[in-house]
Amino acid sequence: MTRNARDLVLTASALDAALGVRHLCRLLDSRESTVLQPLREVLAAGLMRADEDQFVFAHPSVRDAVAATLPPPLSRSLRRRSIDLRLAEGTSPATLAAEIAEVAEPGDEPALRVLESAARELAPLSPSGAAAHLRRAVDLSRTDPPRRLRLAAKLVPLLWESGEPEEARALAREVLRAPPDAATHARVCLELIRTGGPFPVPHAEAHLRRALHHHDVPLAVKDQLLSTTLLHRLLTGEAEEAGGAVAGSMARARGTHPLNDLTQRTLRSMSACHRQRWTEALAHSEPVPAKAAELDPAHGPALPEVVLSTAWRAALLGLSGAGRAATDLVEEGLADARRRGRPAYLPLWRTARARLMLDGGRLVEAAQEVVAAGPGSRAPGTSAASDAALACVRARIAHHTGDNAELEECAALAEGLLAGDDPQSYRAGAWIALLTAGYRDRALTHQRLAAATDHLRRGFVHTTCVDAGDVVLLVAAALDSGRREVAAAAVDFAEERATLNPGIALFAAAASHARGLFARDAELLAGAAEAHGDTRPLLRARALEDAGACSPEPSGAALSRFEEALRRYEACGAEGDARRVRGRLRAFGVRTLPSAGTAAPAADAGWRGLSGSELSVARLIAHGATNREAAQRLFLSPHTVNTHLRHVFVKLGIRSRVQLARLYAREIDSRGASA
């Protein structure tokens, strides 16, 4: 081949992409007429072929073999020249960032600009991709420490959003040890606050004061840092509105930027909740979707303040009975987190979804969502407060389903929360202990009842609101524990809350329910059941059950109320509640079968005292399923199935799967066949 033809092939081999004629000419510093003859020679030799308006090697192995003959410095130089030419022609930096990352060397300023621009372009849709580009930029800038730290500051939020919180916090600590300037220091402080976890450096308050008072920090950054700090302190229970912190913050922050204005509205909403003005709280949250739309449409919806404000709005809508609107917000948020590759937000949205399913009486789906949200281990981006919120939802589900293994785990979780020194976690632990007290057959101490009351009065854990009917559970627990004065105070609280919020029907229904339970007024309880309606099926069933228990016995009214409560519990999958009602019905001489929609296959209520989950496992194992097969069919872990099976063996007094199969065939399958 001629020298020009060889140069053409060597130049082309250094590049991964197909070559256009114009680009090839610019690489060779030649006119098209000059390149024409060498190109014909290369095509005739079969080394390259024309593919529409570009030229490519006939086979990748040919390109690799030719490229191997190039000295590495020359190959890098050719690739870099090709990148520079394409940038000059208007190619997007995001398209070329991966290539330039491979050939750039430390201190390469143009390459740093390309990588930073590409990260900025990718961040709204792929934080992990943007983080990869900024990681390389941080590495390339190691000869310029101030520049490196500024790039590291921009990398912190991308790492957190893409599910790498530990690396994000380690990098933030490095920046805060020697910040290159006041603005970078303040922005890193803001990003750390946004993650919702503990500030990972000593003297956190000193860092915040420094950021808020330095004259070189933009006012918009100071405002958002101030508001976001208070927002997360409210969410985690570190600050309470009663101390005036909210009012003081809002007086100092100007709120002129849409993001800061949105955060301020969320603060006002949470402040209203502390005063039990839930209608006011709902009104403050109403403009949240519109305010979010005012921000950058590409990146704005993914900002932590927007996500938290939207999740809070959804929680308030769910509390007010607007379940459909709340579900729409949650599903949109969950889809957006998945679409944008932001796993840090998934636990938040899954907790919100589980709570809405619980409220709607969809217990099986709610339990599956809790598993997906990651109970028992902190997921990326979560805080102690968000963990506590999920734990409360998990315990409520177990309370209704009567799952012994899950109740045991929740009781142990409560003890762990109660052993810590975090006030909100302690209150959540007391509430979970209240929910599991019946399972453990223990009366609650005055201290724990007081902490559970504080949990109820605070009104929310992280972005999850207490349910309107939680006050009924507190009244029942206080009465069971012989603390009638605590129950009376809870009733007064429920009635005051309903008076302050006449527009929220669920509060009025809960107040009637609490008063009826305290006074043992069957008619008041029956009225509460009607007031609950279909919005809260579990609360309606509980009101019917309580009305039956408070009715004169024996009476037809009590019987019909128990039967309707049982039907509603079974429709929700609330096997624990259903077992309790079946026991009440047996006092009337009524023996019931589980409905077709429940998990229990037994011929009478709770075959030999097994829970619904244990019955489901027993049925599958008795019919020949392995533990793994049972786990797959029941959407459980093999470990949970094994735990249920051990409980089954103990309760039935057997030692093997063979004995279980025989017993089940004799006592259950045979009855089904005869029926």
Side-chain angles (χ1 to χ4, degrees):
M1 298 180 69
T2 64
R3 179 173 180 174
N4 287 343
R6 288 199 302 272
D7 288 346
L8 187 153
V9 174
L10 286 167
T11 299
S13 72
L15 310 176
D16 294 332
L19 286 168
V21 174
R22 180 179 298 176
H23 188 63
L24 184 60
C25 291
R26 296 184 69 182
L27 278 171
L28 296 169
D29 288 325
S30 302
R31 297 189 302 274
E32 290 184 16
S33 59
T34 306
V35 173
L36 184 59
Q37 183 56 41
L39 192 54
R40 284 175 175 168
E41 188 177 347
V42 171
L43 292 172
L47 293 174
M48 300 184 74
R49 57 183 173 80
D51 188 359
E52 295 183 355
D53 59 345
Q54 294 182 318
F55 295 93
V56 296
F57 276 89
H59 197 278
S61 60
V62 175
R63 191 203 71 83
D64 294 342
V66 175
T69 67
L70 285 174
L74 178 59
S75 177
R76 282 196 301 272
S77 177
L78 287 169
R79 292 181 66 191
R80 180 54 185 273
R81 178 166 166 72
S82 172
I83 292 167
D84 290 342
L85 288 171
R86 282 180 280 165
L87 283 171
E89 293 167 357
T91 304
S92 165
T95 305
L96 300 173
E99 288 185 60
I100 204 168
E102 290 183 13
V103 301
E105 296 182 351
D108 188 335
E109 183 60 32
L112 288 171
R113 287 197 298 269
V114 168
L115 290 168
E116 193 172 355
S117 177
R120 189 164 51 249
E121 187 178 334
L122 273 176
L125 295 176
S126 176
S128 58
H133 293 326
L134 275 185
R135 270 199 187 100
R136 179 59 174 148
V138 168
D139 181 58
L140 291 172
S141 62
R142 59 182 179 270
T143 57
D144 182 357
R147 178 68 184 277
R148 180 181 178 277
L149 290 172
R150 291 188 186 98
L151 290 168
K154 295 178 180 180
L155 178 56
V156 167
L158 296 172
L159 291 171
W160 178 76
E161 288 178 346
S162 54
E164 300 180 72
E166 294 309 316
E167 184 180 351
R169 289 173 179 145
L171 204 57
R173 282 194 294 269
E174 183 182 348
V175 176
L176 290 180
R177 276 196 295 269
D181 54 72
T184 299
H185 174 264
R187 287 191 172 94
V188 170
C189 288
L190 175 58
E191 296 303 342
L192 285 173
I193 292 295
R194 281 172 162 172
T195 66
F199 210 83
V201 291
H203 313 299
E205 290 298 324
H207 277 287
L208 291 174
R209 285 195 299 270
R210 174 183 169 186
L212 289 170
H213 292 96
H214 203 289
H215 64 274
D216 287 339
V217 177
L219 287 177
V221 176
K222 288 183 179 180
D223 286 352
Q224 194 57 28
L225 178 58
L226 183 63
S227 298
T228 304
T229 299
L230 185 54
L231 173 62
H232 279 280
R233 286 179 176 175
L234 281 172
L235 289 171
T236 58
E238 295 177 21
E240 302 297 340
E241 194 276 336
V246 172
S249 168
M250 291 190 292
R252 285 188 288 154
R254 285 144 286 274
T256 53
H257 189 277
L259 180 60
N260 194 48
D261 189 29
L262 180 144
T263 307
Q264 295 271 330
R265 290 180 183 276
T266 303
L267 284 171
R268 289 189 181 94
S269 181
M270 291 182 170
S271 172
C273 291
H274 280 292
R275 293 176 282 113
Q276 297 303 318
R277 265 66 174 183
W278 292 90
T279 305
E280 182 184 332
L282 195 62
H284 282 307
S285 75
E286 190 172 346
V288 164
K291 288 294 177 183
E294 289 182 33
L295 301 168
D296 172 13
H299 190 61
L303 289 170
E305 293 91 335
V306 177
V307 173
L308 289 173
S309 295
T310 306
W312 175 249
R313 168 73 176 165
L316 290 173
L317 287 171
L319 182 78
S320 68
R324 182 68 264 168
T327 299
D328 288 345
L329 284 179
V330 170
E331 293 300 327
E332 183 179 344
L334 191 57
D336 186 77
R338 288 169 172 161
R339 183 172 60 250
R340 295 172 185 267
R342 286 175 163 80
Y345 299 134
L346 292 178
L348 174 76
W349 290 120
R350 288 193 176 279
T351 300
R353 181 197 259 181
R355 171 55 190 276
L356 289 172
M357 290 174 171
L358 167 62
D359 290 347
R362 297 156 59 192
L363 291 174
V364 173
E365 295 169 84
Q368 292 170 358
E369 204 63 34
V370 164
V371 171
S377 62
R378 182 163 297 176
T382 63
S383 64
S386 57
D387 287 348
L390 179 62
C392 288
V393 175
R394 180 186 179 191
R396 266 286 299 279
I397 294 168
H399 170 79
H400 289 297
T401 59
D403 185 324
N404 289 342
E406 184 71 354
L407 282 166
E408 187 65 43
E409 289 184 20
C410 287
L413 177 61
E415 295 303 321
L417 292 172
L418 287 163
D421 55 5
D422 177 68
Q424 180 154 256
S425 295
Y426 185 87
R427 290 191 294 263
W431 185 253
I432 295 171
L434 181 149
L435 294 171
T436 59
Y439 163 72
R440 289 192 160 189
D441 195 24
R442 294 179 183 174
L444 290 167
T445 64
H446 180 74
Q447 182 182 9
R448 291 194 176 181
L449 271 176
T453 301
D454 290 342
H455 164 87
L456 183 68
R457 287 180 177 275
R458 186 170 194 273
F460 60 91
V461 181
H462 202 244
T463 58
T464 303
C465 298
V466 299
D467 187 58
D470 282 353
V471 68
V472 175
L473 300 179
L474 176 61
V475 170
L479 292 174
D480 289 343
S481 300
R483 301 285 181 173
R484 193 168 177 81
E485 74 285 359
V486 176
V491 172
D492 291 342
F493 164 77
E495 292 176 338
E496 180 184 4
R497 185 179 62 178
T499 301
L500 291 172
N501 302 277
I504 301 181
L506 286 171
F507 283 155
S512 295
H513 192 163
R515 174 61 67 183
L517 185 61
F518 183 78
R520 296 193 60 79
D521 187 327
E523 296 310 311
L524 191 56
L525 287 164
E530 289 300 314
H532 283 309
D534 295 326
T535 305
R536 290 288 191 276
L538 289 166
L539 289 177
R540 185 172 188 176
R542 177 61 188 258
L544 286 165
E545 179 189 354
D546 290 339
C550 295
S551 299
E553 292 186 8
S555 72
L559 179 60
S560 65
R561 286 163 178 165
F562 284 143
E563 288 176 336
E564 186 178 354
L566 176 61
R567 179 176 61 81
R568 293 182 179 278
Y569 280 141
E570 289 182 334
C572 294
E575 181 56 29
D577 296 320
R579 283 202 304 271
R580 185 176 62 247
V581 176
R582 291 191 196 107
R584 294 182 184 277
L585 285 170
R586 280 197 291 273
F588 285 83
V590 177
R591 297 188 62 80
T592 61
L593 292 172
S595 70
T598 65
D604 56 19
W607 181 53
R608 302 237 188 149
L610 302 186
S611 71
S613 298
E614 291 164 353
L615 284 165
S616 297
V617 169
R619 176 176 60 83
L620 293 174
I621 299 299
H623 290 158
T626 65
N627 284 20
R628 184 168 297 278
E629 289 169 343
Q632 290 173 346
R633 292 180 63 179
L634 296 172
F635 301 100
L636 301 172
S637 69
H639 172 75
T640 301
V641 168
N642 187 54
T643 299
H644 287 328
L645 192 57
R646 288 202 310 271
H647 291 163
V648 169
F649 284 0
V650 170
K651 290 181 178 181
L652 297 180
I654 58 177
R655 296 184 178 180
S656 71
R657 301 161 80 94
V658 173
Q659 287 179 306
L660 173 62
R662 289 173 179 168
L663 190 65
Y664 195 95
R666 183 174 67 251
E667 296 190 2
I668 304 301
D669 288 340
S670 61
R671 294 185 185 181
S674 62

